[in-house]
């Protein structure tokens, strides 16, 4: 794994060296004319059919390695922000000397074909990207991307910082000035990352903390906190007189006290002053707090066109190693805010420290067309490795000139490929976190909401490990990993499956260590009883290949049997194809996991006889005359699957089952199929029946899935080597049940009482309390407690079922705060295996169970609330799950209602996870409310909200800090115009800013 991270870092390092050498050889030419490939204009023609200026022909070919986007793997192209003139001399010169990166881009890709996007983000604003691709405007017809606003750029260019933002809200700031000031604050917040800390103070004759709760302290600049402050910015209004001296004193005191607490960045510190004027230079305050060391930089932003107070504000910035800018319009905001980043980068540039930075996980949305593909094909979480690029010219060394930042994206799934899933066991998984404790990858990370629409949650990139491994209340695991320790930790966990409806209670052993050369720590969770023992078999290559050739055999494509990313000619191969070519010697360059492949061959040979058995069942019309059983399936511990259809593909009731559309029921990088995992937790030899949960409002399904685990020995030391099952039509299953329920043991075959009697109601429920069979078909799939609240409550009291409280810290709640829908979520191998499977399949199809209804056996239907189309926001919720007690075989009970007693009987169906419940239908318990599984939002009062804002979990600061350098030239402190945009571009940017508010 560390080798993989090292290779990515080295690719970036080569780009840095090439860029700095190219700049060193370049001489600036203000009259340089250079036709480059503009990513927006390429292949565009005018009305006469001629290519536009900067829009020459650029060959683009769809490439599956880049999500099938049309790209040019020989050249890069350049994107320029909308508000900048794409032929400005500074842009043209930068594009010209950075053209030499093309050769390194291609060379990097040849060395490591698993690389995806490589790029150079210039301090001047342009963005060179490889492979070259055409940039399409978004739905509003614009491209708002500015590489300097991206986290990878800011993290690589600057060191961590503590920032206090002072906003003038005196009477003179009314109107447009206050609007510009708020936008300036918002743009500054955009430049702060998870390693930074901040606070905002508004001032007139008094101080007004934008968040009063955070008086006198700073908070981490994570997304949630920044959005919280943005909401409060709208509450600011201008009045009174501006007393800047009071604000400066408060800011210096706060930074000093916060620094002494040992919290925060313990690196750079800055005060951002946003005002329309200053009547003094306040040198006495600076002399008291900041001179001679000038450890706190002052950045001043003059709002408005008047220049009467510009000298005072510029002096304040220059005297404190900061920068002064004037912002006259909304269009000026972003470019002027960016200037402070170049100042903060100076010490790092002078030190010539090329620190390697890695970002947190994020979903790339740089290209609108790439985002659309991600929506269609599934999200791709990635991290970026980046390094700064400096000027090495001796004459400019003291100025600390940052040329830009180079980087490359690394899909998080690349990390998972280095950890063999088959060695982790059925429930095992790998995960990784950042130095801030945020999740880089974890199977419980849910970055999207409203499944099907695939909308990103606002805070998906800052989900803390403690929010998914929430059973660790003391953060023992999290803190050890943040502190980059190596060790082991164990705890009981409650893992939800099946869209959060069901829960598996197990004990996990966690093993963790740091990943060298990165800010990440890696953890592996192994569930006790799984993953410790591994069965090994041995067959010849010829035997294995023969049985792998069967058309119904497939392998987990997200598992790495062979590395198909190393060479372009291998990328089109499926894992199954790669194995075949590797074993036959046709692809000697393929790198494959020999141990895993040997076990795959073994599983293929051992499981092959089941195909003949399934064929015989299909030919035997009497066994499945009404085609109730539609599909049979088998999965093994090596990710091998066999599937047999008893009906035509077009006749399948559930078309998505066992396909990539139903990720929870196939082998993937995170987990084994749901039917495999649930079967493994049942008593050996018993079956798990369930109705698949729908993601739609009404949870209705027309199929039943049944599965069981294959375990060759009775003790837990024998690993679960496979699981097998069927999926059948729900009406077929229900008919089997009703037939079985009418069978009685009396001599004449008559039943003293039957489910046909109107005086009773019969249900078939599973071990989590969900109804599979009911006389009222509409109740199918519902939770039993919603239908028979009084009976379910009694079952909980008696201990037949138990309630397990679960928490979801990634939930989305409606803005009206009403409750939402459900959350979230071979000893003799040949003979033993085949005999077990044949017996299991027969039992599944026949489903023969006898019932004796010898006891006195309220159908309280509840209507589900319809989902409202309202805005959702992140929240925390609490919700229940229910699990049956395995030792209870049969139980009777009686409930005292208002004027009667309601009797019921619950009986476990042998060798299954099912229970038959018969309820007296003549006594009504209306006073007992239904029991639902609806999540309840955890509401925090104002005091608790404040404590949550103030509280800071343990985090590890980046190892590198470049806050100051004695050779820094502080005379470069603003007042000189930067890049000039043409008037049309300024006007367009202004309009976009106004209409986007």
């Amino acid at each position: 794994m560390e080798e993989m991270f090292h290779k990515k870092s080295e690719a970036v390092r080569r780009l840095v060296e090439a860029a700095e050498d190219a700049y060193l050889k370049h001489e600036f030419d203000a009259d340089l004319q250079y036709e480059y490939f503009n990513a927006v204009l390429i292949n565009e023609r005018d009305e006469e059919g001629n290519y536009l200026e900067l829009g020459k022909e650029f060959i683009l070919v769809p490439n599956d390695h880049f999500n099938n986007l049309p790209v040019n793997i020989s050249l890069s192209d350049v994107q320029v922000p909308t508000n900048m003139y794409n032929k400005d001399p500074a842009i043209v010169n930068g594009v010209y000397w950075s053209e030499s990166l093309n050769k390194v881009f291609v060379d990097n890709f040849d060395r490591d074909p698993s690389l995806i996007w490589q790029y150079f983000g210039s301090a001047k604003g342009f963005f060179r990207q490889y492979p070259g691709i055409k940039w399409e405007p978004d739905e509003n017809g614009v491209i708002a991307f500015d590489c300097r606003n991206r986290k990878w750029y800011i993290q690589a260019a600057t060191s961590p910082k503590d920032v206090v933002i002072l906003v003038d809200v005196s009477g003179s700031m009314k109107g447009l000035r206050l609007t510009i000031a708020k936008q300036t604050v918002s743009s500054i917040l955009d430049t702060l990352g998870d390693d930074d800390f901040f606070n905002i103070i508004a001032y007139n004759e008094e101080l007004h903390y934008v968040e009063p709760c955070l008086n006198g302290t700073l908070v981490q600049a994570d997304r949630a906190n920044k959005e919280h402050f943005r909401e409060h910015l709208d509450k600011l209004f201008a009045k009174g007189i501006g007393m800047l001296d009071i604000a400066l004193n408060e800011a210096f005191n706060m930074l000093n006290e916060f620094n002494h607490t040992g919290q925060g960045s313990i690196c750079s510190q800055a005060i951002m002053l946003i005002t329309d004027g200053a009547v003094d230079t306040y040198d006495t305050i600076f002399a008291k707090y900041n001179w001679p060391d000038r450890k706190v930089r002052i950045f001043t932003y003059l709002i408005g066109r008047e220049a009467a107070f510009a000298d005072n504000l510029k002096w304040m910035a220059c005297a404190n190693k900061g920068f002064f800018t004037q912002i006259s319009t909304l269009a000026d905001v972003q470019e002027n805010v960016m200037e402070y980043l170049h100042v903060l980068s100076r010490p790092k540039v002078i030190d010539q420290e090329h620190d390697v930075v890695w970002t947190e996980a994020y979903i790339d949305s740089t290209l609108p067309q790439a985002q659309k593909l991600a929506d269609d094909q599934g999200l791709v979480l990635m991290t970026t490795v980046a390094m700064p690029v400096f000027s090495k010219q001796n004459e400019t060394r003291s100025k600390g000139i940052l040329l830009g930042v180079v980087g490359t994206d690394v899909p998080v799934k690349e990390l998972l490929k280095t950890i063999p899933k088959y060695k982790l066991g059925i429930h095992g998984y790998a995960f990784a976190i950042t130095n801030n404790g945020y999740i880089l990858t974890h199977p419980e990370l849910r970055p999207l909401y409203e499944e099907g629409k695939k909308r990103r949650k606002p805070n998906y990139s800052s989900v803390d490990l403690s929010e998914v491994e929430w059973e660790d209340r003391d953060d023992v695991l999290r803190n050890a990993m943040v502190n980059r320790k190596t060790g082991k930790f164990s705890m009981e966990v409650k893992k939800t499956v099946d869209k959060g409806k069901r829960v598996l209670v197990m004990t996990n052993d966690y093993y963790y260590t740091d990943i060298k050369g990165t800010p990440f720590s890696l953890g592996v969770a192994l569930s006790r009883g799984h993953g410790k023992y591994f069965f090994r078999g041995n067959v010849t290559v010829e035997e294995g290949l023969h049985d792998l050739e069967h058309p119904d055999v497939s392998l987990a494509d997200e598992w790495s049997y062979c590395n198909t990313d190393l060479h372009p000619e291998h990328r089109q191969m499926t894992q199954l194809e790669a194995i075949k070519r590797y074993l036959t010697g046709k692809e000697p360059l393929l790198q494959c996991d020999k141990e895993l492949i040997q076990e795959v061959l073994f599983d293929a040979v051992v499981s092959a006889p089941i195909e003949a058995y399934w064929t015989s069942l299909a030919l035997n019309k009497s066994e499945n005359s009404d085609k109730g059983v539609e599909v049979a399936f088998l999965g093994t511990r090596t990710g091998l699957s066999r599937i047999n259809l008893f009906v035509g593909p077009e006749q399948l009731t559930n078309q998505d089952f066992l396909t990539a559309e139903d990720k929870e029921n196939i082998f993937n990088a995170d987990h084994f199929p749901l039917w495999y995992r649930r079967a493994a937790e049942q008593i050996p030899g018993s079956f798990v029946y369930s109705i698949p949960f729908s993601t739609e409002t009404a949870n209705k399904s027309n199929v039943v899935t049944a599965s069981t685990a294959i375990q060759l020995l009775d003790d837990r030391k024998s690993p679960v080597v496979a699981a097998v099952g069927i999926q059948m039509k729900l009406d077929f299953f229900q008919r089997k049940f009703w037939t079985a329920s009418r069978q009685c043991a009396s001599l004449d075959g008559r039943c003293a009482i039957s489910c046909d009697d109107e005086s009773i109601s019969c249900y078939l429920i599973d071990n989590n309390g969900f109804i599979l069979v009911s006389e009222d078909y509409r109740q199918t799939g519902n939770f039993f407690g919603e239908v028979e609240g009084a009976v379910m409550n009694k079952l909980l009291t008696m201990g037949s079922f138990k309630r397990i409280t679960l928490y979801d810290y990634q939930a989305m709640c409606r803005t009206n705060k009403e409750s939402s829908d459900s959350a979230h979520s071979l000893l003799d191998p040949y003979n033993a295996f085949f005999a077990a499977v044949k017996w299991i399949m027969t039992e599944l199809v026949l489903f023969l169970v006898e019932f004796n209804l010898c006891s006195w056996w309220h159908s309280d239907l509840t209507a589900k609330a319809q989902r409202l189309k309202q805005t959702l926001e992140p929240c925390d919720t609490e919700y229940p799950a229910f699990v049956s007690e395995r030792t209870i075989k049969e139980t009777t009970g009686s409930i005292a209602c208002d004027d009667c007693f309601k009797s019921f009987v619950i009986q476990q169906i042998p060798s299954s996870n099912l229970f038959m419940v018969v309820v007296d239908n003549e006594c009504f318990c209306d006073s007992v409310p239904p029991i639902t599984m609806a999540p309840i939002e955890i509401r925090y009062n104002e005091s608790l909200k404040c404590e949550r804002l103030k509280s800071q979990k343990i985090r590890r600061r980046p190892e590198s800090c470049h806050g100051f350098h004695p050779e820094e030239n502080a005379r470069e402190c603003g007042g000189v115009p930067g890049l000039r945009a043409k008037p049309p571009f300024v006007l367009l940017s202004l309009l976009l800013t106004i209409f986007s508010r």
Side-chain angles (χ1 to χ4, degrees):
M1 178 183 299
E2 290 176 355
E3 180 185 358
M4 184 269 287
F5 282 105
H6 178 72
K7 287 174 66 176
K8 310 303 181 188
S9 299
E10 285 304 302
V12 172
R13 198 177 302 277
R14 286 189 289 271
L15 287 171
V16 170
E17 293 172 354
E20 292 180 347
D21 289 344
Y23 180 77
L24 194 59
K25 298 172 183 176
H26 177 73
E27 290 187 10
F28 184 85
D29 181 358
D31 299 319
L32 178 64
Q33 299 294 315
Y34 179 62
E35 288 287 316
Y36 61 91
F37 290 109
N38 185 292
V40 179
L41 301 175
I42 54 172
N43 299 330
E44 294 289 332
R45 298 174 183 265
D46 58 22
E47 294 178 354
E48 297 178 358
N50 300 315
Y51 285 111
L52 297 178
E53 190 177 20
L54 303 182
K56 297 178 292 184
E57 181 181 12
F58 194 73
I59 298 174
L60 298 171
V61 179
N63 190 304
D64 64 300
H65 187 62
F66 297 92
N67 289 329
N68 281 320
L69 291 169
V71 297
N72 186 318
I73 60 173
S74 300
L75 294 170
S76 62
D77 57 5
V78 176
Q79 177 263 345
V80 179
T82 303
N83 65 329
M84 301 187 72
Y85 179 36
N86 56 29
K87 295 193 73 174
D88 185 285
I91 295 286
V92 175
N93 276 265
V95 171
Y96 179 78
W97 66 255
S98 66
E99 194 80 22
S100 62
L101 293 179
N102 274 326
K103 183 178 182 302
V104 187
F105 285 143
V106 175
D107 181 56
N108 278 343
F109 193 43
D110 288 340
R111 291 180 186 224
D112 181 5
S114 67
L115 283 173
I116 50 174
W117 306 106
Q118 303 174 66
Y119 37 81
F120 168 63
S122 168
K124 301 300 182 183
F126 71 83
F127 180 67
R128 179 178 289 281
Q129 183 178 26
Y130 173 87
I133 187 170
K134 184 170 178 59
W135 282 54
E136 303 288 351
D138 61 19
E139 62 274 12
N140 297 315
V142 300
I143 298 176
F145 177 82
D146 189 324
C147 62
R148 297 167 298 175
N149 255 344
R150 306 295 281 189
K151 282 191 175 182
W152 53 265
Y153 184 98
I154 296 167
Q155 282 183 234
T158 65
S159 293
K161 49 198 171 291
D162 299 332
V163 176
V164 176
I165 304 173
L166 302 178
V167 187
D168 184 353
V169 290
S170 61
S172 61
M173 289 287 290
K174 286 182 179 179
L176 180 59
R177 289 185 179 181
L178 187 59
T179 300
I180 296 174
K182 290 178 180 179
Q183 183 63 37
T184 301
V185 173
S186 184
S187 292
I188 293 173
L189 292 181
D190 284 337
T191 66
L192 303 181
D194 296 333
D195 293 324
D196 303 322
F197 290 77
F198 76 103
N199 204 338
I200 305 174
I201 303 174
Y203 71 91
N204 40 36
E205 61 267 28
E206 296 179 349
L207 299 180
H208 310 276
Y209 278 86
V210 170
E211 171 48 79
C213 161
L214 296 171
N215 189 318
T217 189
L218 278 70
V219 294
Q220 187 177 10
D222 60 33
R223 193 187 191 285
N225 286 338
K226 290 190 291 185
E227 288 306 310
H228 179 79
F229 273 80
R230 279 194 175 99
E231 292 173 4
H232 283 64
L233 279 177
D234 291 334
K235 301 175 185 177
L236 296 180
F237 58 93
K239 70 172 184 177
I241 302 170
M243 304 292 287
L244 180 54
D245 55 337
I246 300 175
L248 286 172
N249 275 292
E250 181 74 4
F252 275 113
N253 280 322
M254 185 176 2
L255 287 172
N256 182 55
E257 292 174 8
F258 189 70
N259 189 56
H260 281 99
T261 65
Q263 301 178 16
S265 69
I266 314 296
C267 191
S268 299
Q269 291 189 316
I271 295 174
M272 310 289 201
L273 174 59
I274 303 168
T275 179
D276 64 347
V279 296
D280 193 4
T281 57
Y282 303 99
D283 51 312
T284 56
I285 296 177
F286 299 129
K288 177 181 177 181
Y289 293 103
N290 208 36
W291 295 345
D293 296 331
R294 297 188 288 177
K295 289 292 183 69
V296 180
R297 298 179 187 269
I298 307 295
F299 296 94
T300 54
Y301 300 89
L302 176 60
I303 305 299
R305 298 184 182 279
E306 291 80 4
F309 300 106
D311 289 342
N312 286 346
L313 290 173
K314 182 176 180 181
W315 183 92
M316 292 163 62
C318 295
N320 293 278
K321 289 190 174 182
F323 201 86
F324 161 79
T325 62
Q326 184 169 3
I327 303 177
S328 303
T329 68
L330 287 169
D332 297 336
V333 172
Q334 183 166 313
E335 194 65 32
N336 282 284
V337 166
M338 289 295 166
E339 294 291 349
Y340 96 87
L341 295 174
H342 302 147
V343 175
L344 292 184
S345 70
R346 286 176 187 164
K348 181 182 285 193
V349 177
I350 297 172
D351 282 335
Q352 294 289 296
E353 290 288 343
H354 294 91
D355 299 325
V356 180
V357 301
W358 293 82
T359 68
E360 79 283 2
Y362 65 95
I363 302 171
D364 187 33
S365 57
T366 301
L367 299 164
Q369 62 267 43
Q371 180 58 41
K372 183 180 184 303
L373 273 175
D375 290 343
D376 294 339
Q377 301 174 7
L379 67 92
V380 177
L381 277 172
M382 60 180 61
T383 177
T384 292
V385 54
M387 292 176 67
V389 180
F390 310 140
S391 167
K392 288 186 175 181
Q393 295 175 347
N394 289 328
E395 61 271 22
T396 62
R397 185 170 184 271
S398 65
K399 295 182 180 180
I401 298 177
L402 175 74
L403 302 178
V405 173
V406 294
T408 184
D409 295 337
V410 182
V412 171
K413 65 181 181 181
E414 293 297 316
L415 169 64
L416 297 177
K417 285 182 178 180
T418 64
I419 305 169
K421 176 65 179 129
Y422 72 100
K423 290 187 177 180
L424 302 183
I426 299 168
H427 303 295
Y429 56 90
F431 60 97
I433 64 172
T434 70
N435 60 299
N436 287 295
Y438 297 151
I439 292 172
L440 182 71
T441 179
H442 193 291
E444 297 298 321
L445 176 64
R446 307 192 314 272
L448 306 178
Y449 69 100
E450 290 195 354
E451 192 170 342
K453 297 181 181 178
K454 298 182 179 179
R455 296 174 179 172
R456 289 182 226 170
K457 294 177 181 176
N459 55 344
Y460 77 91
S461 63
S462 56
V463 176
D464 197 90
L465 181 64
S466 61
E467 295 177 319
V468 294
E469 303 285 355
W470 52 264
E471 295 91 344
D472 180 18
R473 296 297 185 183
D474 296 325
D475 288 344
V476 176
L477 174 64
R478 177 199 180 277
N479 293 346
M481 293 184 68
V482 167
N483 289 322
R484 302 179 70 79
K485 293 181 178 180
T486 297
K488 176 187 175 183
F489 174 71
S490 302
M491 67 177 174
E492 183 181 89
V493 296
K494 304 171 182 68
K495 292 298 180 184
T496 58
V497 296
D498 212 356
K499 299 178 176 64
K501 297 282 191 176
R502 308 181 189 276
V503 63
L504 301 176
V505 181
M506 59 190 75
T507 299
N508 276 0
D509 293 323
Y510 296 87
Y511 302 85
Y512 51 86
T513 190
D514 64 312
I515 303 175
K516 300 293 188 295
T518 77
F520 308 139
S521 288
L522 174 71
V524 171
L526 300 180
S527 296
R528 289 187 185 171
H530 304 286
K532 186 175 182 181
Y533 299 97
F534 188 75
F535 188 87
R536 283 189 166 84
N538 190 30
V539 295
T540 66
V541 171
E542 291 73 18
E543 289 178 298
L545 280 175
H546 175 269
D547 289 321
L548 276 177
E549 292 290 343
H550 198 282
D552 290 339
V553 172
S554 62
L555 295 179
D557 258 352
E558 291 188 17
W559 289 21
S560 288
Y561 303 86
C562 294
N563 191 339
T564 57
D565 291 327
L566 291 179
H567 301 280
E569 62 269 23
H570 298 156
R571 290 180 185 145
Q572 298 286 350
M573 295 182 186
T574 65
Q575 288 293 321
L576 187 54
E577 291 170 340
I579 290 175
K580 292 176 182 178
R581 297 185 72 82
Y582 168 74
L583 292 174
T584 55
K586 295 180 179 179
E587 294 291 343
L589 295 178
L590 271 172
Q591 295 183 13
C592 300
D593 187 328
K594 295 180 181 179
E595 181 182 358
L596 176 55
I597 289 178
Q598 181 60 42
E599 298 308 317
V600 166
L601 296 178
F602 176 77
D603 287 0
V605 172
V606 173
S607 63
I610 199 174
E611 297 287 353
Y613 174 66
W614 283 339
T615 301
S616 69
L617 283 180
L619 295 174
N620 189 342
K621 301 293 185 179
S622 62
E623 290 283 353
N624 192 26
S625 57
D626 53 2
K627 296 184 179 180
V629 178
E630 298 188 331
V631 58
F633 50 88
L634 174 144
T636 76
R637 76 275 163 69
T638 60
L640 180 144
S641 297
R642 289 184 180 272
I643 302 171
N644 186 81
L645 300 183
F646 294 111
V647 298
E650 70 286 348
Q651 296 176 292
L652 286 172
T653 305
N654 185 354
Q655 296 281 337
D656 292 339
F657 186 58
L658 302 176
T659 71
E661 298 299 320
D662 185 10
K663 276 192 169 292
E664 200 163 21
N665 280 302
I666 61 173
F667 290 94
N668 60 43
D670 284 334
H671 55 68
F672 277 53
L674 175 63
W675 44 268
Y676 198 127
R677 286 179 285 159
R678 292 194 63 210
E681 291 307 302
Q682 287 294 114
I683 298 172
S686 62
F687 315 122
V688 177
Y689 296 85
S690 63
I691 294 180
F693 289 110
S694 170
T695 57
E696 303 301 324
T697 304
N699 176 40
K700 297 303 176 187
S701 178
N702 295 317
V703 295
V704 173
T705 302
S707 63
T708 189
I710 307 294
Q711 188 173 353
L712 300 178
L713 299 177
D714 291 335
D715 58 55
R716 296 297 286 175
K717 290 185 178 180
S718 172
V720 174
V721 295
V724 65
I726 61 172
Q727 189 167 91
M728 62 193 106
K729 293 179 180 177
L730 178 59
D731 58 356
F732 168 81
F733 176 81
Q734 291 178 337
R735 287 199 309 272
K736 290 286 185 180
F737 169 77
W738 293 123
T739 299
S741 69
R742 296 185 180 100
Q743 295 178 2
C744 295
S746 58
L747 293 176
D748 59 2
R750 295 181 181 180
C751 298
I753 189 169
S754 165
C755 288
D756 295 329
D757 295 349
E758 294 184 359
S759 61
I760 62 172
S761 293
C762 295
Y763 305 92
L764 186 66
I765 66 174
D766 65 20
N767 61 312
N768 297 117
F770 293 101
I771 300 172
L772 280 80
V773 181
S774 171
E775 295 161 27
D776 186 344
Y777 185 81
R778 294 171 298 176
Q779 296 171 352
T780 304
N782 289 357
F783 177 59
F784 183 65
E786 296 178 352
V787 178
E788 296 281 359
V791 177
M792 189 67 205
N793 187 63
K794 187 67 174 180
L795 290 173
L796 291 169
T797 304
M798 296 166 58
S800 298
F801 276 78
K802 61 180 178 180
R803 179 198 302 261
I804 297 176
T805 301
L806 303 169
Y807 299 92
D808 185 1
Y809 297 104
Q810 301 178 70
M812 299 291 289
C813 298
R814 305 189 187 284
T815 52
N816 61 6
K817 305 298 182 183
E818 293 177 359
S819 296
S820 64
D821 283 346
S822 301
H824 348 9
S825 274
L826 305 172
L827 299 177
D828 182 0
Y830 298 92
N831 296 329
F833 188 91
F834 181 57
V837 168
K838 183 175 180 180
W839 173 78
I840 287 164
M841 294 302 299
T842 302
E843 289 296 307
L844 283 171
V845 173
L846 295 181
F847 190 74
L848 299 177
V849 178
E850 290 189 0
F851 297 92
N852 289 314
L853 311 182
C854 302
S855 303
W856 281 103
W857 305 89
H858 161 33
S859 178
D860 186 15
L861 300 181
T862 59
K864 287 194 173 182
Q866 293 186 357
R867 298 176 68 181
L868 304 175
K869 296 295 183 181
Q870 295 176 338
T871 302
L872 299 174
E873 61 182 17
C875 64
D876 300 339
T877 61
E878 175 185 309
Y879 66 101
F882 301 87
V883 180
S884 65
E885 176 54 58
R886 287 183 175 179
T887 60
I888 297 177
K889 304 303 180 184
E890 182 175 341
T891 302
T892 63
S894 182
I895 308 162
C897 300
D898 295 335
D899 54 359
C900 61
F901 285 88
K902 188 180 190 71
S903 302
F904 67 90
V905 173
I906 179 170
Q907 182 180 28
Q908 185 179 28
I909 297 178
S911 300
S912 78
N913 68 323
L914 302 178
F915 296 85
M916 182 173 184
V917 186
V918 182
V919 181
D920 174 12
N921 205 25
E922 295 183 341
C923 178
F924 297 93
C925 283
D926 295 330
S927 60
V928 181
I931 298 175
T932 73
M933 297 181 66
I936 300 172
E937 182 181 355
I938 302 174
R939 298 181 182 274
Y940 303 101
N941 58 37
E942 291 304 317
S943 175
L944 194 51
K945 283 181 181 178
C946 182
E947 287 303 315
R948 284 167 59 85
L949 278 172
K950 287 183 176 179
S951 65
Q952 294 184 17
K953 288 184 175 291
I954 290 177
R955 53 181 295 276
R956 197 171 195 275
R957 299 182 189 90
E959 295 178 358
S960 176
C961 170
H962 306 277
F964 301 91
H965 198 285
E967 299 178 23
E968 179 182 344
N969 179 2
R971 293 187 298 274
E972 296 287 335
C973 52
V976 179
L979 294 177
R980 292 175 296 171
K982 278 190 171 182
F985 289 96
V986 175
L987 179 60
L988 175 59
S989 180
L990 173 62
L991 292 173
L992 291 175
T993 306
I994 294 174
F995 287 118
S996 65
R997 290 183 61 80

